[in-house]
Amino acid sequence: MSMSTVDAPMGRGDRTSRWVPRGDRPAWARAIALAVIVSAGVALAGCSRKEPQPEPVRAVKLLTVGAAPLHAQLEYSAEVRARVESRLGFRVPGKIVERQAELGQHVKAGQLLAQLDARDYQLSAQAAQAQVNAARTQRDLAAADVQRYSKLKEQSFISGAELERREASLKAAQASLDQAQAQLASQGNQASYTRLVADVSGVVTGIDAEPGQVVAAGTPVVRIAQDGPRDAVFSVPEDKVAQLRTGQEVTVRPWAEGAPLKGTVREVAASADPVTRTFLVKVAIEGAQVPPLGATVYVEPGALGREGIQALTLPTTALRQEGGQTAVWVYDAASGSVRSQVVRIATADGNQAVIADGLQPGMQVVATGVHVLSPGQKVTVYQPRSASPQETAAPGASAASAN
């Protein structure tokens, strides 16, 4: 049995020690000793350094880079519009008192669309009619004078100069009458211009003014898409407009339902839009079942197709972003590791990215799981469980071919 010593008083200024069995120690002393031992163990454990965990060796799927034909076809979203769309307005200013046309309504030539307040023009026409009546009275009076003076001249009661003056007065009165009649016709036209009628048959596609609004002469009030041919209108970027020519055939596919239609490039804008910097292209739609106005269609220009062009492509799962650039992991069969390779993307071919620069045919790149790898990391080539002996014997071969 282990022993311990304790001090016991013997007399004034004298102390002595005696051995006490450990089992007879107080409970608080045993707790303190245990705490000291635990603290020392924790301190020793904290001072020791753990060994780092080895980096796991990941299995990756590889793709062999190779050239293959592209299959994607460029298509553009277009809107069906009328070949001719008119913006109709009044030829005289005034206040709109009535509008008969409604949005989407089909109107015929000569049908009333809107009307202005015509009271002022009617009063002007009445004033012009009064001037015509006055001028006609003056002309009739001058004609009567000429007839009377002609008889006096035959009887030699007046000179020839006097008759000539009467004839001149008649001509002046006739000219005044002609002027008044012309003014009456003009005022009559002004009154008729207060009625806005459709000059062609078509569909109302827009309303730009409402009753109670005062409009100036020529202000558009109603827009009408004339009946007749339809165009598919879309925009192309400036790097594609040079490939489009008037007369080229295109395929027009309705967005909702219906069989594809044939189309012909009818017009290519000569200048770019100042806002979007794109060029407007109009395609004449041919066929009996032409989509309605405003419908969305897809236009596939044959001149912009990439069918059969050889290019290098990769799936999007093989791409990653590195410092603002697109990169892939290239597999090094000699060292069994991967390295980062920056690539440049030209365009898209369906779900594939077309590689313009950075890779060469025959390289092996990681197809999936690119975000869990690091430069120089050791990897193994993933082999399916049902792999054939030929596939197992060639670990560097790709599981699939990237075009």
Side-chain angles (χ1 to χ4, degrees), residues 114-162:
Q115 189 170 357
L116 294 178
D117 185 359
R119 286 177 296 180
D120 293 341
Y121 297 100
Q122 292 173 355
L123 293 176
S124 299
Q126 293 176 4
Q129 181 64 48
Q131 292 178 356
V132 169
N133 295 336
R136 182 177 289 110
T137 301
Q138 294 295 330
R139 192 277 313 268
D140 293 343
L141 181 59
D145 287 344
V146 169
Q147 185 177 5
R148 185 171 60 256
Y149 276 81
S150 296
K151 293 180 179 180
L152 294 175
K153 175 65 175 61
E154 292 175 358
Q155 298 175 6
S156 301
F157 289 115
I158 60 172
S159 63
E162 188 65 24

XYZ file of all heavy atoms in Angstrom, residues 114-162:
376
model
N -63.031 57.041 -87.969
C -63.127 58.049 -86.913
C -63.658 59.334 -87.524
O -63.690 59.502 -88.753
C -61.766 58.285 -86.253
N -64.077 60.276 -86.651
C -64.676 61.513 -87.135
C -64.304 62.673 -86.219
O -64.262 62.527 -84.994
C -66.196 61.367 -87.210
C -66.903 62.523 -87.891
C -68.356 62.230 -88.149
O -68.826 61.128 -87.863
N -69.074 63.197 -88.685
N -64.045 63.849 -86.854
C -63.739 65.077 -86.124
C -65.005 65.929 -85.974
O -66.011 65.709 -86.660
C -62.662 65.885 -86.861
C -61.256 65.302 -86.966
C -60.375 66.244 -87.785
C -60.651 65.066 -85.595
N -64.903 66.919 -85.111
C -65.972 67.917 -84.984
C -65.937 68.800 -86.236
O -64.981 69.547 -86.459
C -65.747 68.742 -83.726
C -66.893 69.705 -83.466
O -67.842 69.737 -84.277
O -66.839 70.429 -82.456
N -66.973 68.727 -87.065
C -66.982 69.380 -88.379
C -67.761 70.678 -88.412
O -67.979 71.238 -89.494
C -67.547 68.416 -89.427
N -68.192 71.220 -87.271
C -69.031 72.424 -87.297
C -68.301 73.624 -87.875
O -68.852 74.387 -88.674
C -69.518 72.735 -85.879
C -70.602 71.780 -85.390
C -71.012 72.071 -83.971
N -69.898 71.841 -83.040
C -69.990 72.033 -81.733
N -71.124 72.479 -81.198
N -68.947 71.781 -80.941
N -67.069 73.840 -87.499
C -66.308 74.974 -88.037
C -66.138 74.848 -89.548
O -66.232 75.849 -90.286
C -64.951 75.074 -87.360
C -65.067 75.439 -85.884
O -66.134 75.951 -85.498
O -64.099 75.209 -85.127
N -65.863 73.653 -90.033
C -65.678 73.472 -91.470
C -67.002 73.624 -92.212
O -67.021 74.093 -93.360
C -65.049 72.098 -91.731
C -63.671 71.964 -91.135
C -63.481 71.312 -89.926
C -62.557 72.503 -91.769
C -62.224 71.191 -89.371
C -61.289 72.384 -91.225
C -61.130 71.736 -90.020
O -59.874 71.627 -89.476
N -68.090 73.234 -91.602
C -69.390 73.436 -92.232
C -69.739 74.923 -92.332
O -70.288 75.377 -93.357
C -70.459 72.693 -91.434
C -70.331 71.180 -91.508
C -71.289 70.473 -90.581
O -72.000 71.109 -89.800
N -71.314 69.138 -90.655
N -69.416 75.692 -91.298
C -69.651 77.138 -91.364
C -68.782 77.787 -92.441
O -69.225 78.689 -93.161
C -69.366 77.765 -90.005
C -70.327 77.380 -88.871
C -69.871 77.988 -87.553
C -71.743 77.828 -89.203
N -67.556 77.339 -92.554
C -66.689 77.886 -93.608
C -67.241 77.549 -94.983
O -67.173 78.373 -95.919
C -65.270 77.327 -93.444
O -64.714 77.703 -92.196
N -67.795 76.373 -95.138
C -68.386 76.000 -96.424
C -69.610 76.855 -96.732
O -69.826 77.259 -97.888
C -68.755 74.516 -96.402
N -70.408 77.146 -95.716
C -71.565 78.019 -95.930
C -71.128 79.427 -96.321
O -71.745 80.064 -97.193
C -72.419 78.049 -94.669
C -73.096 76.729 -94.335
C -73.846 76.775 -93.024
O -73.943 77.821 -92.372
N -74.394 75.624 -92.615
N -70.067 79.949 -95.682
C -69.552 81.273 -96.051
C -69.053 81.273 -97.488
O -69.267 82.246 -98.242
C -68.449 81.690 -95.089
N -68.392 80.206 -97.883
C -67.917 80.123 -99.267
C -69.082 80.061 -100.248
O -69.019 80.638 -101.343
C -67.018 78.896 -99.424
N -70.170 79.390 -99.862
C -71.339 79.327 -100.730
C -71.973 80.708 -100.881
O -72.410 81.083 -101.987
C -72.344 78.352 -100.142
C -73.608 78.178 -100.974
C -73.313 77.568 -102.338
O -72.615 76.574 -102.434
N -73.836 78.199 -103.394
N -71.976 81.492 -99.815
C -72.513 82.853 -99.901
C -71.671 83.718 -100.824
O -72.201 84.540 -101.602
C -72.586 83.465 -98.501
N -70.343 83.562 -100.766
C -69.480 84.313 -101.673
C -69.726 83.917 -103.117
O -69.682 84.765 -104.024
C -68.020 84.084 -101.296
C -67.614 84.690 -99.960
C -66.166 84.398 -99.615
O -65.484 83.675 -100.342
N -65.703 84.958 -98.511
N -70.027 82.671 -103.363
C -70.331 82.222 -104.723
C -71.621 82.874 -105.204
O -71.707 83.331 -106.368
C -70.427 80.688 -104.773
C -71.009 80.229 -106.116
C -69.071 80.068 -104.560
N -72.591 82.921 -104.342
C -73.858 83.550 -104.737
C -73.665 85.027 -105.060
O -74.226 85.559 -106.041
C -74.884 83.390 -103.627
C -75.258 81.926 -103.387
O -75.108 81.100 -104.301
N -75.730 81.617 -102.193
N -72.879 85.729 -104.217
C -72.621 87.153 -104.475
C -71.866 87.340 -105.774
O -72.170 88.256 -106.568
C -71.857 87.748 -103.298
N -70.885 86.537 -106.030
C -70.092 86.656 -107.262
C -70.949 86.335 -108.481
O -70.786 86.959 -109.542
C -68.882 85.716 -107.191
N -71.831 85.382 -108.365
C -72.703 85.055 -109.493
C -73.655 86.217 -109.785
O -73.938 86.527 -110.962
C -73.493 83.784 -109.179
C -74.403 83.365 -110.343
C -75.129 82.072 -110.069
N -74.204 80.933 -110.090
C -73.844 80.236 -109.011
N -74.331 80.587 -107.811
N -73.023 79.228 -109.118
N -74.127 86.903 -108.746
C -75.010 88.064 -108.958
C -74.275 89.176 -109.680
O -74.810 89.809 -110.614
C -75.544 88.558 -107.612
O -76.275 87.493 -106.972
C -76.468 89.757 -107.802
N -73.033 89.428 -109.272
C -72.234 90.449 -109.932
C -71.961 90.063 -111.382
O -71.976 90.907 -112.278
C -70.922 90.663 -109.176
C -71.088 91.249 -107.787
C -71.644 92.671 -107.830
O -71.410 93.427 -108.785
N -72.396 93.039 -106.788
N -71.739 88.832 -111.617
C -71.478 88.392 -112.998
C -72.728 88.558 -113.850
O -72.651 89.025 -115.012
C -71.022 86.917 -112.963
C -70.426 86.391 -114.301
C -71.500 85.945 -115.297
N -72.525 85.109 -114.712
C -72.469 83.781 -114.679
N -71.416 83.156 -115.171
N -73.484 83.087 -114.153
N -73.886 88.188 -113.311
C -75.126 88.335 -114.073
C -75.418 89.812 -114.376
O -75.881 90.154 -115.488
C -76.285 87.722 -113.282
C -76.150 86.207 -113.144
O -75.367 85.620 -113.919
O -76.804 85.630 -112.247
N -75.152 90.688 -113.413
C -75.366 92.115 -113.643
C -74.440 92.642 -114.720
O -74.850 93.436 -115.605
C -75.175 92.887 -112.340
C -75.379 94.404 -112.400
C -76.796 94.744 -112.890
C -75.098 95.058 -111.057
N -73.178 92.209 -114.673
C -72.228 92.654 -115.706
C -72.618 92.111 -117.067
O -72.476 92.806 -118.091
C -70.822 92.201 -115.322
N -73.129 90.910 -117.118
C -73.568 90.341 -118.403
C -74.750 91.112 -118.965
O -74.854 91.347 -120.186
C -73.903 88.862 -118.214
N -75.675 91.532 -118.105
C -76.828 92.313 -118.567
C -76.384 93.668 -119.101
O -76.907 94.160 -120.123
C -77.823 92.486 -117.425
N -75.411 94.303 -118.441
C -74.890 95.582 -118.923
C -74.258 95.413 -120.285
O -74.431 96.267 -121.192
C -73.894 96.151 -117.935
C -74.573 96.679 -116.673
O -75.800 96.880 -116.711
O -73.873 96.865 -115.653
N -73.520 94.414 -120.505
C -72.864 94.204 -121.802
C -73.921 94.007 -122.887
O -73.791 94.536 -124.014
C -71.918 92.987 -121.737
C -71.443 92.588 -123.124
C -70.737 93.305 -120.831
N -74.963 93.260 -122.590
C -76.010 93.037 -123.592
C -76.724 94.338 -123.939
O -77.008 94.612 -125.110
C -77.002 92.009 -123.036
C -78.071 91.606 -124.064
C -79.001 90.537 -123.525
O -78.906 90.168 -122.355
N -79.893 90.072 -124.382
N -77.029 95.148 -122.937
C -77.718 96.413 -123.176
C -76.834 97.383 -123.952
O -77.278 98.055 -124.904
C -78.142 97.023 -121.831
C -78.980 98.312 -122.002
C -79.558 98.768 -120.679
N -78.560 99.067 -119.659
C -78.264 98.309 -118.631
N -78.922 97.154 -118.471
N -77.328 98.632 -117.747
N -75.532 97.480 -123.558
C -74.632 98.414 -124.247
C -74.317 97.932 -125.656
O -73.982 98.738 -126.519
C -73.352 98.600 -123.441
C -73.488 99.649 -122.360
C -74.090 99.363 -121.137
C -73.008 100.941 -122.566
C -74.216 100.306 -120.157
C -73.149 101.912 -121.583
C -73.742 101.585 -120.377
O -73.866 102.543 -119.401
N -74.427 96.653 -125.866
C -74.204 96.168 -127.240
C -75.302 96.674 -128.172
O -75.037 97.067 -129.320
C -74.175 94.628 -127.246
O -73.091 94.155 -126.503
N -76.547 96.719 -127.731
C -77.639 97.239 -128.547
C -77.489 98.743 -128.772
O -77.784 99.249 -129.861
C -78.971 96.944 -127.865
C -79.300 95.458 -127.810
C -80.634 95.217 -127.122
C -80.978 93.734 -127.083
N -82.274 93.487 -126.421
N -77.032 99.449 -127.720
C -76.807 100.885 -127.890
C -75.681 101.150 -128.873
O -75.729 102.131 -129.635
C -76.501 101.535 -126.547
C -77.654 101.540 -125.522
C -77.171 102.119 -124.192
C -78.857 102.327 -126.065
N -74.702 100.321 -128.893
C -73.597 100.508 -129.835
C -74.059 100.267 -131.263
O -73.631 100.967 -132.205
C -72.462 99.513 -129.474
C -71.291 99.516 -130.451
C -70.573 100.868 -130.424
C -69.335 100.843 -131.302
N -69.621 100.569 -132.705
N -74.964 99.294 -131.429
C -75.488 99.054 -132.780
C -76.274 100.258 -133.306
O -76.316 100.513 -134.505
C -76.385 97.812 -132.756
C -75.619 96.525 -132.501
C -76.549 95.347 -132.365
O -77.776 95.556 -132.424
O -76.045 94.214 -132.194
N -76.888 100.987 -132.378
C -77.648 102.171 -132.773
C -76.782 103.445 -132.761
O -77.298 104.546 -132.942
C -78.841 102.361 -131.834
C -79.834 101.205 -131.887
C -80.945 101.351 -130.854
O -81.037 102.383 -130.162
N -81.809 100.345 -130.763
N -75.499 103.283 -132.487
C -74.515 104.383 -132.494
C -74.815 105.424 -131.424
O -74.509 106.607 -131.576
C -74.469 105.070 -133.884
O -74.116 104.140 -134.878
N -75.434 104.982 -130.313
C -75.652 105.905 -129.204
C -74.439 105.987 -128.265
O -74.312 106.964 -127.516
C -76.891 105.503 -128.394
C -78.182 105.753 -129.121
C -79.018 104.696 -129.503
C -78.581 107.045 -129.439
C -80.201 104.942 -130.182
C -79.773 107.277 -130.117
C -80.585 106.218 -130.482
N -73.572 104.957 -128.271
C -72.363 104.975 -127.422
C -71.170 104.623 -128.295
O -71.303 104.072 -129.397
C -72.480 103.976 -126.257
C -72.673 102.550 -126.817
C -73.609 104.345 -125.302
C -72.618 101.477 -125.771
N -70.032 104.944 -127.730
C -68.797 104.651 -128.457
C -68.366 103.204 -128.200
O -68.840 102.525 -127.273
C -67.695 105.616 -128.008
O -67.395 105.429 -126.615
N -67.424 102.755 -129.011
C -66.906 101.395 -128.821
C -66.127 101.245 -127.532
O -66.088 100.154 -126.925
N -65.472 102.319 -127.053
C -64.698 102.235 -125.803
C -65.606 101.955 -124.617
O -65.246 101.195 -123.687
C -63.916 103.521 -125.600
N -66.790 102.535 -124.623
C -67.712 102.304 -123.511
C -68.153 100.835 -123.457
O -68.271 100.232 -122.379
C -68.926 103.213 -123.659
C -69.868 103.217 -122.477
C -69.254 103.778 -121.224
O -68.287 104.578 -121.318
O -69.719 103.407 -120.118
